[in-house]
Amino acid sequence: MMKAELAYEIKALLGEGPCWDERKQVLYWTDISGKVIHRFDPQTGQNDTFKIGQMVGAVVVAEDGRLVLAAENGFYFYNTETGQTTAIHDPEADRPENRFNDGKVDPAGRFWAGTMQKNDNDPEGSLYCLDDTLEVETKLTGLRTSNGMAWDMTNKRMYFIDTPTRNIYVFDYNLKTGIIANQRVAFQYPGGYGFPDGMTIDTEGMLWIAGWGAGKVSRWNPETGAVLSTVEVPAQNITSCTFGGKHFDTLYITTAREGMTDEELEKLPLSGSLFSIQTNATGLPANRFKNIHHV
């Protein structure tokens, strides 16, 4: 059993969506309920906060250095220098009860992000894909809590989590077209590990999954469904994880305070903070969003 260390102490309500920018050697992450994004610099220990004014489920970096957000009201470009937000598209403008949750850029540079209800868990969420022409395509519907995503080293498989189902799904993935097909359950995530939330993949093709409610991140073999190792985190609700650092062997872990009782917060006061751990595994650089239009 490995133990994560505190990287930055903060009381994020719903920390999420960590994304490592290898060019700047900083970690972007969000606080969905706090309606902000953060930029953490492990070299200096500084964490800058940018107020967005709406819930932000995911933040990714574009090829040109701008940030792209999947937020409460759709996809946006965001400029950290000017604080300017530029709307791209809102595929759920007619669904104010929904918001974007987790999102990631695929190996071809498309930004995938899914939605969920703000206050319920009905199957009203969808998974969308923003391509290089800034068109948005619906990929999946009828989701409860669209969550973690990962693509394998061969670029032929995509993994996906719809949290309440406890299923880790796998699809055949076409790099060129972005088409996903042949949805099946890679494995079921057992109850003792919490609910599966965000995830990342390492260079051996193993999945690192954040366990909401269980205070841990665990590493799984998606071929066999076997758990390989576990990282204990001194927080209750673990939301996501990603590899970063110069050698991509530091796992950064986001957590949340939301939904915890006063007693639970007293027991785990660091909940909501950012954590990290040096691992024996290596992750991949985050894919960058590629767009041909400079809006």
Side-chain angles (χ1 to χ4, degrees):
M1 176 83 70
M2 303 181 283
K3 284 194 159 83
E5 293 174 357
L6 183 67
Y8 186 79
E9 187 171 348
I10 188 172
K11 289 181 165 52
L13 293 170
L14 187 49
E16 254 287 6
C19 178
W20 180 256
D21 182 344
E22 64 173 316
R23 291 182 200 163
K24 292 188 174 166
Q25 292 287 300
V26 295
L27 182 83
Y28 290 101
W29 59 291
T30 79
D31 179 352
I32 299 178
S33 300
K35 301 183 178 181
V36 297
I37 55 174
H38 296 288
R39 179 179 62 204
F40 174 67
D41 183 340
Q43 292 302 312
T44 62
Q46 187 175 327
N47 188 75
D48 298 316
T49 301
F50 304 91
K51 287 184 180 164
I52 304 299
Q54 58 174 298
M55 293 176 157
V56 187
V59 52
V60 298
V61 186
E63 197 54 65
D64 62 10
R66 285 184 297 176
L67 300 184
V68 195
L69 313 178
E72 195 172 347
N73 304 320
F75 291 102
Y76 293 84
F77 284 115
Y78 181 72
N79 185 322
T80 54
E81 302 296 316
T82 63
Q84 188 188 358
T85 312
T86 309
I88 300 171
H89 183 63
D90 183 1
E92 295 194 349
D94 57 339
R95 310 188 84 169
E97 73 286 356
N98 277 12
R99 66 163 175 84
F100 267 98
N101 195 41
D102 212 344
K104 240 177 218 175
V105 178
D106 76 3
R110 309 175 190 94
F111 185 17
W112 297 62
T115 59
M116 60 180 282
Q117 286 187 326
K118 289 177 199 167
N119 302 313
D120 282 302
N121 231 345
D122 300 325
E124 297 291 334
S126 297
L127 179 65
Y128 298 96
C129 180
L130 176 70
D131 70 16
D132 63 354
T133 67
L134 304 184
E135 292 292 313
V136 176
E137 189 185 339
T138 306
K139 294 291 189 179
L140 297 171
T141 57
L143 304 174
R144 291 181 183 274
T145 307
S146 181
N147 233 319
M149 284 165 246
W151 290 267
D152 78 348
M153 299 288 289
T154 67
N155 294 332
K156 289 187 174 158
R157 283 184 185 172
M158 173 177 155
Y159 296 99
F160 173 74
I161 290 171
D162 182 3
T163 296
T165 67
R166 290 192 181 281
N167 289 331
I168 313 302
Y169 292 109
V170 59
F171 297 82
D172 296 338
Y173 163 76
N174 186 309
L175 178 70
K176 199 171 169 193
T177 62
I179 289 171
I180 52 173
N182 189 20
Q183 178 176 3
R184 56 221 183 260
V185 177
F187 64 97
Q188 261 235 315
Y189 189 80
Y193 292 85
F195 279 95
D197 203 314
M199 72 172 156
T200 191
I201 196 165
D202 63 30
T203 51
E204 291 175 19
M206 303 298 128
L207 299 175
W208 295 71
I209 302 174
W212 176 273
K216 52 193 163 195
V217 172
S218 39
R219 182 179 188 235
W220 299 80
N221 181 334
E223 300 287 335
T224 63
V227 64
L228 306 171
S229 58
T230 307
V231 178
E232 257 181 21
V233 186
Q236 179 172 297
N237 295 326
I238 317 306
T239 54
S240 194
C241 55
T242 198
F243 285 98
K246 282 200 164 55
H247 307 294
F248 295 98
D249 57 356
T250 302
L251 189 73
Y252 286 99
I253 301 163
T254 52
T255 66
R257 293 173 76 77
E258 215 168 62
M260 290 176 72
T261 64
D262 291 345
E263 288 79 14
E264 288 168 338
L265 285 167
E266 211 171 293
K267 251 188 242 166
L268 294 164
L270 293 175
S271 291
S273 295
L274 182 66
F275 296 88
S276 68
I277 185 169
Q278 287 291 123
T279 69
N280 295 324
T282 312
L284 299 157
N287 300 311
R288 286 180 174 249
F289 178 67
K290 293 180 175 69
N291 65 299
I292 49 182
H293 301 303
H294 287 271
V295 179

